[in-house]
Amino acid sequence: MKAFAVPDRAKGVCSPPPMPLSPGRVDRTVDVLKALADPTRLQMIGMLKRAQQPVCICDFTAAFNFSQPTISHHMSKLRAAGLVEVSRKGIWSYYRLRPQLEPATRALMDVVG
Amino acid sequence: MKAFAVPDRAKGVCSPPPMPLSPGRVDRTVDVLKALADPTRLQMIGMLKRAQQPVCICDFTAAFNFSQPTISHHMSKLRAAGLVEVSRKGIWSYYRLRPQLEPATRALMDVVG
DNA sequence: CATACCCATTGACAAACGTCTATCGATGCG
DNA sequence: CGCATCGATAGACGTTTGTCAATGGGTATG
């Protein structure tokens, strides 16, 4: 199998290791990717992106067929990743996308959902 | 705590559930996000993005402090997600980013790394 | 005060994940 | 042919993840 052309290489010799990105940037990106890499959380983000106002957590509990603690847990992960923020009004909790995201994170949020 | 303004809402009444994205698109996006949500795999993608030619798998094995099977396993996941493709030349395996990605996937790959 | 309601936290559990060692198939070389 | 090398696969093992039932803390209302 040789589906595409590959460079010549002497036996047993590997090219010098290409150096990767800055470790900090990698870790932060991975954190955000992990936060988004779940169907429920990805749709939560999508709903928040389309919402004109902060969304009550009870709306998410109603929208998905999961228990209330599970929804709360997912939203907590999004919050831990710095993607959303919460505000209480009486009994209710309202969530919205966090404004002023780092540019790289914002770019990621823009392309998904 | 009321960090930002929230809409008025009658007691016990939740707004109609906002409908999410198409399930297929969500699943595909989650697959790609999961493939990228690992430091090693994310850096592999970064190296492939910066490479001018297909890269020998042995270069990845040399670049990371993981065993050869672990590197092979990570690359296999990237391949299963349709992000990279492989070509053999004699003993060696060369990988490159898969051209002609779906636009949404391509956009994701562009913003990370 | 007592009750009902909303939501977060805890603890439990199965499934998925990342890593390793050991092994195997294939290719090249003496 | 016999042996070494590259890379993929299999099996094992500890950690992380997604889910639920149960509980707890706060807030409104009778």
Side-chain angles (χ1 to χ4, degrees):
Chain A
M1 172 205 306
K2 185 160 70 72
F4 51 82
V6 293
D8 284 336
R9 173 189 295 276
K11 178 208 174 200
V13 175
C14 286
S15 36
M19 256 334 262
L21 320 173
S22 84
R25 172 61 52 97
V26 168
D27 288 350
R28 171 63 182 148
T29 304
V30 166
D31 281 349
V32 175
L33 289 170
K34 276 192 179 150
L36 297 174
D38 174 273
T40 305
R41 292 198 292 271
L42 188 61
Q43 298 196 53
M44 284 173 159
I45 290 292
M47 288 164 65
L48 288 177
K49 282 177 65 174
R50 286 189 297 283
Q52 305 298 320
Q53 295 178 334
V55 178
C56 178
I57 187 76
C58 64
D59 291 337
F60 295 100
T61 303
F64 299 97
N65 262 335
F66 288 122
S67 69
Q68 175 265 318
T70 295
I71 299 300
S72 184
H73 166 75
H74 281 307
M75 196 59 89
S76 165
K77 286 213 157 189
L78 292 177
R79 195 156 57 83
L83 303 183
V84 306
E85 60 186 26
V86 63
S87 179
R88 306 266 155 73
K89 181 175 192 180
I91 288 185
W92 294 286
S93 290
Y94 290 84
Y95 285 84
R96 68 170 176 184
L97 295 186
R98 199 157 81 76
Q100 310 269 21
L101 290 173
E102 318 147 63
T105 306
R106 151 90 48 198
L108 241 175
M109 304 277 285
D110 285 346
V111 295
V112 298
Chain B
M1 172 206 307
K2 184 159 72 71
F4 50 83
V6 293
D8 284 335
R9 174 189 294 276
K11 177 208 174 200
V13 175
C14 287
S15 35
M19 256 335 262
L21 320 173
S22 84
R25 174 60 54 98
V26 168
D27 289 349
R28 171 63 183 148
T29 304
V30 166
D31 281 349
V32 175
L33 289 171
K34 278 193 177 147
L36 297 174
D38 174 272
T40 306
R41 292 196 293 270
L42 187 62
Q43 299 196 53
M44 285 176 160
I45 290 293
M47 289 164 66
L48 288 177
K49 281 177 66 174
R50 286 189 297 282
Q52 305 297 322
Q53 294 179 335
V55 178
C56 178
I57 187 74
C58 64
D59 291 338
F60 295 99
T61 302
F64 299 97
N65 262 333
F66 288 122
S67 68
Q68 174 265 318
T70 295
I71 300 300
S72 184
H73 166 75
H74 282 306
M75 196 58 88
S76 166
K77 286 212 157 189
L78 293 177
R79 196 158 54 84
L83 303 183
V84 306
E85 60 186 25
V86 64
S87 178
R88 305 267 156 73
K89 181 176 190 180
I91 289 187
W92 294 286
S93 290
Y94 292 83
Y95 285 84
R96 67 169 177 185
L97 295 185
R98 200 158 80 77
Q100 309 268 21
L101 291 173
E102 317 148 62
T105 305
R106 151 90 48 199
L108 242 175
M109 304 277 284
D110 285 344
V111 295
V112 299

